[in-house]
């Protein structure tokens, strides 16, 4: 992996991990996501899953030189990435205690 790809990937993973830790421990979400997120801690766990997945993919892409083994090693990271994105999407759904139907 080239350095111009590695540095942004590491930065994205670190920022997602920091934001996920802040959401899980403090209940803090980035300002542009506050109006959508309904379950903050679940959203934080999703962000942590995404950060681990990006880190997993980057590390195995750098460490393994055989292309076939590399593709199979990166596959669990892709599954974890999709799972983290699904957890984040579920945390943004409206809860069951809404007052109105919202169809006006």
């Amino acid at each position: 992996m080239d350095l111009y790809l590695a540095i942004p990937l590491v930065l994205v993973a670190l920022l997602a991990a920091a934001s996920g830790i802040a959401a899980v421990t403090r209940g803090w979400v980035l300002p542009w996501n506050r109006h959508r997120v309904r379950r903050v801690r679940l959203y934080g766990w999703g962000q942590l899953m995404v950060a681990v997945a990006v880190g997993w993919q980057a590390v195995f892409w750098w460490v393994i030189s055989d292309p076939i083994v590399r593709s199979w090693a990166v596959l669990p990271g892709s599954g974890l990435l999709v799972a983290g994105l699904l957890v984040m999407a579920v945390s943004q759904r409206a809860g069951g205690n809404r007052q109105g139907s919202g169809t006006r």
Side-chain angles (χ1 to χ4, degrees):
M1 179 178 286
D2 295 324
L3 198 57
Y4 66 89
L5 292 175
I7 292 173
L9 274 177
V10 169
L11 288 176
V12 166
L14 288 175
L15 288 174
S19 181
I21 289 171
V24 170
T25 59
R26 303 281 186 209
W28 184 83
V29 179
L30 291 168
W32 50 84
N33 287 337
R34 285 187 189 145
H35 68 282
R36 292 189 309 220
V37 175
R38 302 288 183 246
R39 290 170 274 203
V40 176
R41 302 224 189 282
L42 185 63
Y43 186 77
W45 283 112
Q47 284 185 319
L48 286 173
M49 289 170 68
V50 167
V52 168
V54 170
W56 176 285
Q57 289 178 339
V59 165
F60 279 104
W61 193 262
W62 287 326
V63 172
I64 299 173
S65 61
D66 184 26
I68 295 173
V69 175
R70 181 188 301 167
S71 64
W72 283 102
V74 173
L75 190 61
S78 299
L80 187 61
L81 180 67
V82 170
L85 292 173
L86 286 174
V87 168
M88 289 171 63
V90 167
S91 70
Q92 293 179 3
R93 294 187 61 190
N97 58 357
R98 297 180 66 178
Q99 294 295 324
S101 64
T103 57
R104 289 184 179 219

